[in-house]
Amino acid sequence: MKPTGRRHCWAASLALLLAIGNYDVLSGAETPSQTAGSFRSVNELPIGGNKGSTPSDAPRQFWAFEPLRRAAPPQINEGDWCRTSIDSFIFSGLRSAGLRPNPPADRRRLIRRVYLDLLGVPPSADRIEDFVRDLDPDAYPRLIDSLLASPQYGERWGRFWLDLARFAESHGFEHDTDRPSAFHYRDFVIAALNQDMPYDQFVKWQIAGDEFEPENFQALTATGFLAAGVHSTQITANQAEKERYDELDDIVGTIGTSMLGLTIGCARCHDHKFDPIPTSDYYRLISTFTTTVRTEIDLDPQSEDAGAKKVPATPDAAPDKNKKESPERKALICSEGLKPLRLNTQGPDFYEKTYLLNRGDPNQKGREMTPGFLQVLMRSSDGENQWRIDPPKGWRTSYHRRALAEWITDVDYGAGNLLARVIVNRLWQHHFGRGIVGTPSDFGSQGERPSHPELLEWLAGELVRTGWRLKPIHRLLMRSAVYLQDSAYEKEAARADPDNRLLWRFAPRRLESEAIRDSILAVTGALDRRMFGPGTLDEGNQRRSIYFTIKRSKLIPMMVLFDGPDALQSQAQRATTTVAPQALLMMNNPHVQSWSRAMAKHLIPDDSQSFASAVRTAYGAALGRQPSQVELEDSLQFLRHQMQSYGGNEASELALGDFCQALLILNEFVFID
C-alpha cells in the first residue's frame, strides 16, 4: 500500500521488508513463511494510544476508532456572526490563529452557490431576482428547503455516491461486456437520496437489502452496489479461483473505503502495515460474501410501478424462449440461492469455502475462514454473536451479509461511529471543497488528522441524533455563517492559512464534468428533465449527465476531459485539471455549439429591442448578473464583428450563438463562488 498524508518512515519500510522477504533482521537468516495460524490479532498491532496504555488498548484509542464524544460547541462572544453551533467551532479556530472570517456573500452570488451546490444547475434569472428582492429573514432557509425537496437534488448528490460505488454498466477488462440491467442501482441511489432515506438504512440495503426486505424492489436493487465492480468475462479453469478472490476483494475494499474510510484491501497479502487490520480480519470479512453472486431479477410484467415485485429466477428455472428480454424488465442485483448471471467462465460461479491465503495466493491456503468483522471496531463482549441472526427456516440466504450490515451501522458496539464520521465528512467536503478530514476515504493512521476534530464529532453525533438523515445536516452546513462567507482573497489571511483549512473564506471551486454539461443544458433551454430508466452513450442526449451509460472502455469524452471517474475503483475526490483540450472542446464541440445557438434563438431582438437588451438577458441567464458597462461595450463590438463576418439573413442568430457560447466558456460560469 502506498502511504498518503505523511512520509513513509524507516520503521514502516522495515516492516514491509520483513513481511515480503521473510527476513530476520537480527540474524540475517531467511525465516519460514507465515502459516495460517500465525497471523497476528488486533491486540498485537499497537498503533496510536497514549503512553502507558496496554497494547490491547492502543489501537482502539486512535481517534477514528473511539466512540463518539459529545462535543459541546465553544462559547463564543462574537456578536451576530455565529449563526449555528458550527460557527462556534470554526470561529474558535480562526481566533486562535488571529484570523477573521470574511463578510457574507451578496444575495445574487449566494443563490447561485446554493443552486449549483444542491442541484448542479444554476438558477434562472427570474428566480435570482425574486430572491434578491425578498428581504424576509426566512427567505434563505425556505430556499434551501425547496431545493432539498427538488428531484434534481438526488441527481446531483447521487453522482457523488456513484463515484464511491465505482458504478458502471459494463464489466470492464478487454471485452468490457455490457450490463444492460445495472441502471436500476443508479436509480435506487437517486430515489433514496430524494426520499431522505436514513443513511444507516441506505448502507444496510446496499450490503444486504435482499435479506432485510426480500419483497421490496428498491431494497433488492440496492444490492447492485456489490455488483458494480469490474469483473472478468473470460475466465479459464486455472484462473477461476483467483478471479473469485479478486471479486471478493473488490467488494470488501469498496465497502471499506466508501463507508468506513479504511483501506481494508491492504490486508489481503499481509497484516495492514499502518492500521490495526490483521489479515485474518480481512479474510473473515470476505468470507461474508462466499456464496454471494450477481444475478438478475424479473420485474412484474403486469406493473409499471417502480416498486413492482420481483419474480426471482431460481437456480433450476428454465428460460422462457417465448418471453422477450428487456433490460427495463430486469434488474442486476447480488444475492444468494438464485441463478447466477453466468458469463464465459470455465470455473464455478463461487466456491463453497473461503480460506485464509498466505500472501494472497490461492495456491497457499491456510485455515477455512468464517464470517467476522474488524476487531478494532467491535466493543461487544459477545463478539460477532452480537449481530448474528439465524435466517428463517428454509430461506435461501445465509444472513451473513445482514450481520455485517448490522455491525457496520451499530453505534453502540460496532462500526457505526466511524460510519457516521465518514459520511458527515463527505457532506462537508462537497459543500466546502475539502473535508474536515482531508483524506475522505482514509481515516486510518496514514490519512490526515481532522482540522476541526470537535466539530467532526459534533456533526457525527447530530447525524445519529436526527435519525441518520442527511438533509438536516445539509441544512446545518448551509445555514452556517461559514458557508455564507464571501470568497474574496485576503493576502494576510492567505499568508497565515494558505490552504484555507481554518475556513476564513468560502473557497471557490470548479464544477464537476456532469454539472458543467448540465448547466449548459439548463441555461440554453435544452435540458430534458426526465428521470430514471436506461442510459445512453449518445453525446447529444439532453438528459442530465448522470443518465449517460457508463461503459468502462467507452467513456464520454467531455466527462473524461473534465476529470470524470474511470469507474475502476472507489473515488472519493476528483482531480481538477486545467488543460488545453478542455477549452478546445468547449469551443469546437458540435453539441455545445448547437445548444448555444438554441439559446441565441430566444435572444434575437425584435423591432422594440436592441442587441444591448439581448446581451443583458444572456448575462442574466448564464452568469446570474448584469454586464458591466465595459463588458456590454465589448460584447456589442464582438457581435458587430461576428455579424459582419457571417453576412446573410442568419448573421444575427449565428453571431448571438457565438456570443452565448463565449459566456458558457467563462470561468465564472463553471465555478461555484
Side-chain angles (χ1 to χ4, degrees):
M1 181 190 74
K2 182 179 179 181
T4 57
R6 56 174 66 180
R7 293 188 178 182
H8 193 152
C9 67
W10 69 268
S13 301
L14 178 60
L16 191 61
L17 175 65
L18 292 174
I20 296 175
N22 297 316
Y23 192 81
D24 187 330
V25 71
L26 296 180
S27 66
E30 198 170 20
T31 61
S33 298
Q34 280 185 312
T35 62
S38 69
F39 288 86
R40 293 175 291 175
S41 74
V42 69
N43 295 336
E44 296 171 300
L45 295 172
I47 70 157
N50 301 317
K51 289 184 178 180
S53 63
T54 64
S56 61
D57 293 332
R60 292 185 176 89
Q61 290 180 0
F62 184 67
W63 73 270
F65 306 142
E66 291 182 327
L68 284 176
R69 290 174 282 112
R70 294 189 66 86
Q75 295 298 314
I76 301 294
N77 297 318
E78 190 51 33
D80 297 330
W81 190 80
C82 292
R83 294 169 175 259
T84 68
S85 296
I86 291 171
D87 300 323
S88 299
F89 289 106
I90 296 300
F91 191 84
S92 177
L94 289 170
R95 183 173 60 184
S96 298
L99 297 174
R100 298 283 304 178
N102 269 4
D106 63 72
R107 293 176 74 81
R108 191 176 297 278
R109 184 168 300 186
L110 183 61
I111 185 174
R112 181 176 169 84
R113 177 188 299 174
V114 171
Y115 260 81
L116 291 173
D117 240 2
L118 286 180
L119 305 187
V121 292
S124 67
D126 290 342
R127 184 70 184 89
I128 292 173
E129 296 306 321
D130 289 344
F131 181 69
V132 169
R133 288 192 295 265
D134 189 351
L135 302 181
D136 187 330
D138 291 332
Y140 181 62
R142 286 201 308 270
L143 171 65
I144 294 173
D145 289 345
S146 67
L147 299 187
L148 287 173
S150 168
Q152 294 179 80
Y153 160 77
E155 293 174 319
R156 164 67 164 158
W157 283 78
R159 183 59 257 179
F160 297 139
W161 184 261
L162 295 179
D163 281 12
L164 294 167
R166 84 285 189 226
F167 170 74
E169 294 161 86
S170 65
H171 288 286
F173 296 105
E174 61 270 25
H175 297 95
D176 200 29
T177 310
D178 291 340
R179 295 173 181 165
S181 58
F183 71 87
H184 291 284
Y185 171 71
R186 173 249 289 153
D187 290 353
F188 157 75
V189 171
I190 295 171
L193 292 178
N194 279 334
Q195 296 162 10
D196 202 16
M197 178 182 290
Y199 182 67
D200 58 342
Q201 179 183 336
F202 182 70
V203 167
K204 286 178 177 178
W205 279 14
Q206 290 180 83
I207 296 173
D210 59 319
E211 294 187 324
F212 282 99
E213 297 194 31
E215 297 298 319
N216 185 318
F217 174 73
Q218 197 178 26
L220 290 166
T221 55
T223 63
F225 170 84
L226 304 177
V230 295
H231 179 59
S232 179
T233 55
Q234 301 287 330
I235 304 174
T236 60
N238 61 355
Q239 285 181 300
E241 191 169 18
K242 176 190 174 295
E243 293 289 345
R244 179 58 176 170
Y245 275 99
D246 286 348
E247 188 173 15
L248 299 178
D249 176 77
D250 169 73
I251 291 172
V252 168
T254 304
I255 288 173
T257 53
S258 65
M259 297 176 182
L260 295 178
L262 292 176
T263 53
I264 296 173
C266 292
R268 180 178 183 177
C269 301
H270 50 72
D271 293 338
H272 200 295
K273 296 304 171 185
F274 307 104
D275 296 334
I277 306 175
T279 310
S280 55
D281 279 11
Y282 168 86
Y283 282 97
R284 281 149 57 85
L285 276 172
I286 71 166
S287 71
T288 301
F289 302 94
T290 296
T291 58
T292 302
V293 295
R294 289 181 177 86
T295 186
E296 286 185 324
I297 54 171
D298 293 331
L299 310 188
D300 184 346
Q302 302 302 318
S303 173
E304 295 297 327
D305 187 87
K309 289 185 178 181
K310 85 291 180 203
V311 181
T314 59
D316 300 324
D320 183 352
K321 295 181 180 179
N322 298 318
K323 182 180 177 181
K324 291 184 179 180
E325 299 294 337
S326 167
E328 295 186 63
R329 307 307 320 163
K330 287 182 172 292
L332 178 68
I333 69 166
C334 272
S335 190
E336 303 164 56
L338 297 180
K339 184 179 181 180
L341 186 62
R342 189 168 177 81
L343 301 167
N344 298 314
T345 177
Q346 296 175 351
D349 297 293
F350 62 89
Y351 292 82
E352 295 290 344
K353 297 178 180 179
T354 296
Y355 295 93
L356 192 153
L357 306 181
N358 187 26
R359 300 187 184 182
D361 183 358
N363 295 317
Q364 299 186 56
K365 293 184 177 68
R367 67 181 183 272
E368 180 184 343
M369 301 304 290
T370 56
F373 317 120
L374 299 183
Q375 299 170 63
V376 74
L377 292 174
M378 287 193 292
R379 290 181 297 277
S380 170
S381 58
D382 291 337
E384 286 87 353
N385 293 329
Q386 173 76 25
W387 302 281
R388 283 180 178 153
I389 305 171
D390 291 330
K393 188 175 181 180
W395 182 241
R396 59 181 172 78
T397 71
S398 62
Y399 268 40
H400 293 328
R401 287 177 291 113
R402 178 167 178 159
L404 173 62
E406 296 286 6
W407 165 76
I408 208 171
T409 56
D410 188 340
V411 176
D412 296 321
Y413 300 105
N417 297 310
L418 182 54
L419 183 75
R421 289 184 181 108
V422 170
I423 189 58
V424 296
N425 187 67
R426 295 197 193 281
L427 295 184
W428 186 278
Q429 168 198 348
H430 291 301
H431 280 302
F432 292 96
R434 177 191 177 92
I436 297 173
V437 176
T439 50
S441 283
D442 189 357
F443 275 48
S445 64
Q446 292 297 293
E448 291 186 12
R449 301 300 182 265
S451 58
H452 298 80
E454 297 297 321
L455 173 57
L456 183 63
E457 295 296 293
W458 185 83
L459 285 171
E462 283 298 300
L463 176 69
V464 175
R465 285 190 287 276
T466 55
W468 290 89
R469 296 189 180 275
L470 300 182
K471 289 187 179 181
I473 304 300
H474 284 294
R475 292 187 183 95
L476 274 174
L477 301 184
M478 301 183 77
R479 292 181 184 182
S480 69
V482 185
Y483 184 82
L484 296 174
Q485 288 181 106
D486 190 77
S487 62
Y489 182 83
E490 298 290 342
K491 286 185 178 180
E492 293 301 318
R495 188 176 292 113
D497 181 24
D499 295 328
N500 194 36
R501 295 194 70 184
L502 298 177
L503 296 163
W504 50 270
R505 70 165 180 152
F506 182 88
R509 63 188 185 277
R510 198 187 71 194
L511 291 168
E512 303 80 22
S513 53
E514 294 88 353
I516 291 173
R517 180 180 176 276
D518 294 349
S519 294
I520 292 172
L521 288 169
V523 164
T524 59
L527 182 62
D528 180 347
R529 298 182 186 272
R530 286 177 300 156
M531 297 178 67
F532 306 127
T536 179
L537 288 170
D538 177 12
E539 293 179 56
N541 164 54
Q542 294 177 197
R543 297 176 73 198
R544 291 199 66 155
S545 303
I546 196 170
Y547 298 113
F548 273 132
T549 296
I550 302 177
K551 185 173 177 64
R552 288 182 164 104
S553 62
K554 193 177 181 181
L555 299 173
I556 303 298
M558 184 175 184
M559 302 297 101
V560 174
L561 275 177
F562 284 97
D563 309 306
D566 59 14
L568 297 177
Q569 59 187 355
S570 179
Q571 187 166 334
Q573 293 173 298
R574 294 192 188 182
T576 304
T577 61
T578 303
V579 293
Q582 294 166 345
L584 293 172
L585 179 140
M586 295 291 277
M587 288 190 292
N588 300 316
N589 183 275
H591 304 299
V592 176
Q593 292 173 344
S594 172
W595 299 329
S596 299
R597 287 169 186 164
M599 179 181 179
K601 288 181 179 179
H602 301 292
L603 300 175
I604 299 174
D606 55 27
D607 294 338
S608 63
Q609 295 175 316
S610 65
F611 277 99
S613 174
V615 168
R616 293 189 183 97
T617 302
Y619 261 84
L623 306 180
R625 64 175 179 84
Q626 291 299 298
S628 67
Q629 187 60 35
V630 172
E631 289 172 328
L632 179 60
E633 291 172 0
D634 287 346
S635 299
L636 292 173
Q637 183 178 351
F638 173 82
L639 287 171
R640 286 193 293 269
H641 179 273
Q642 293 301 99
M643 284 189 287
Q644 270 187 339
S645 174
Y646 283 117
N649 296 331
E650 296 183 344
S652 297
E653 181 180 325
L654 293 172
L656 278 169
D658 292 345
F659 172 68
C660 291
Q661 187 176 358
L663 288 180
L664 302 180
I665 296 174
L666 293 175
N667 275 346
E668 187 176 351
F669 181 75
V670 298
F671 268 74
I672 298 178
D673 187 11

